[in-house]
């Protein structure tokens, strides 16, 4: 094999590997179970949380989703939106520390929501909407640990909390609670802002990935031109 052909083959291999790595990284970053919006005002009332569950298996379907709600900082007045093909079961727990509200003292709150009966196929996702009456005021975030069960028996535990700048392999969905008016309009405004930020982040990520791929292709083209130039010399 000539040196020029060997160089071309190596350049092609590097290009393929680099492009595949970029695409795999993009897929891994978007395959997590997440909660939307990403933030709400502390004490917000009458809002909706959406748990987005993507299927990350090629040969199995998601058949069960369990979302665990914190009870040390409880979410009050939980209601589940009907989902075609899915059955939702809300489990309540007696609170160690009752919560006083304008409507009285709350002694129980939702601790788990289990969705069964439906199916999320390969390359698909499902949004599960959960309405709440009131969010806590005494914490900066809520962590919703989630279990995702597949038709082949595999269970992915989205329960790890992020520490520092490194994201864990299976991060739990996290809702940030920010200082602000606890009225419903303020909560809605916060939700819209969070959704816009999420869309902007997704767009930026897509553009960044596209730029990386274009850069890889450019490097391969340059290598090809260099090899042809050398091969053409007498």
């Amino acid at each position: 094999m000539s040196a020029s052909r060997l160089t071309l083959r190596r350049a092609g291999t590097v290009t393929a590997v680099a492009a595949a790595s970029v695409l795999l990284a993009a897929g891994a970053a978007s395959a997590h179970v997440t909660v939307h919006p990403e933030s709400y005002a502390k004490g917000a009332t009458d809002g909706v949380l959406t748990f987005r569950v993507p299927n990350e298996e090629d040969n199995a379907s998601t058949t069960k989703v369990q979302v665990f709600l914190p009870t040390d900082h409880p979410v009050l007045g939980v209601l589940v939106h009907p989902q075609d093909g899915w059955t939702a079961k809300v489990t309540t727990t007696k609170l160690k520390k009752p919560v006083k509200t304008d409507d009285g003292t709350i002694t129980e709150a939702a601790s788990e929501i289990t969705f069964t009966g439906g199916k999320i196929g390969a390359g698909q996702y499902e949004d599960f909407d959960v309405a709440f009456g009131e969010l806590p005021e005494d914490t900066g975030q809520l962590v919703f640990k989630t279990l995702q069960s597949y038709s082949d028996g595999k269970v992915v535990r989205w329960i790890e909390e992020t520490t520092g700048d490194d994201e864990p392999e299976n991060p739990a969905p996290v809702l940030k609670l920010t200082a602000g008016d606890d009225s419903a309009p303020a909560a809605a405004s916060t939700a819209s802002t969070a959704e816009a930020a999420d869309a902007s982040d997704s767009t930026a990520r897509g553009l960044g990935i596209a730029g990386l791929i274009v850069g890889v292709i450019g490097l391969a083209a340059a290598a090809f031109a260099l090899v042809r130039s050398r091969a053409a010399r007498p």
Side-chain angles (χ1 to χ4, degrees):
M1 181 180 296
S2 67
S4 60
R5 289 185 179 180
L6 179 59
T7 303
L8 282 173
R9 175 171 294 184
R10 287 177 177 174
T13 301
V14 170
T15 302
V17 171
S21 299
V22 170
L23 295 176
L24 286 174
S30 62
H32 301 161
V33 174
T34 52
V35 61
H36 303 271
E38 295 179 349
S39 66
Y40 251 114
K42 292 181 179 180
T45 58
D46 301 325
V48 176
L49 298 175
T50 299
F51 293 91
R52 177 162 295 177
V53 182
N55 188 89
E56 55 179 10
E57 294 293 318
D58 294 330
N59 302 310
S61 300
T62 295
T63 56
K64 182 179 180 181
V65 178
Q66 296 166 268
V67 179
F68 296 89
L69 287 70
T71 55
D72 52 346
H73 304 287
V75 178
L76 305 181
V78 169
L79 295 173
V80 180
H81 187 276
Q83 196 83 1
D84 290 343
W86 295 87
T87 299
K89 177 183 178 182
V90 179
T91 300
T92 59
T93 298
K94 187 173 182 179
L95 300 175
K96 294 182 178 180
K97 183 180 179 181
V99 179
K100 293 183 179 180
T101 69
D102 294 339
D103 298 323
T105 300
I106 306 298
T107 59
E108 291 187 346
S111 58
E112 179 185 344
I113 305 174
T114 302
F115 300 93
T116 55
K119 182 176 69 173
I120 307 173
Q124 299 177 343
Y125 73 91
E126 191 81 59
D127 281 345
F128 299 94
D129 293 335
V130 177
F132 62 82
E134 184 175 347
L135 296 177
E137 298 180 348
D138 57 350
T139 184
Q141 67 176 25
L142 295 176
V143 179
F144 299 99
K145 296 182 178 182
T146 303
L147 301 184
Q148 180 178 11
S149 299
Y150 287 89
S151 56
D152 60 0
K154 179 180 179 180
V155 178
V156 180
R157 300 167 60 83
W158 303 101
I159 63 172
E160 299 175 2
E161 297 186 36
T162 301
T163 56
D165 297 330
D166 296 331
E167 184 178 66
E169 183 178 355
N170 295 313
V174 175
L175 177 70
K176 299 293 183 181
L177 297 182
T178 61
D181 187 358
D182 63 357
S183 62
S189 177
T190 303
S192 299
T193 301
E195 289 288 4
D198 182 58
S200 176
D201 179 67
S202 297
T203 301
R205 185 185 298 118
L207 291 174
I209 292 170
L212 287 173
I213 294 176
V214 170
V216 170
I217 294 174
L219 289 174
F224 180 81
L226 179 61
V227 171
R228 291 195 60 181
S229 173
R230 290 179 176 176
R233 293 176 183 175

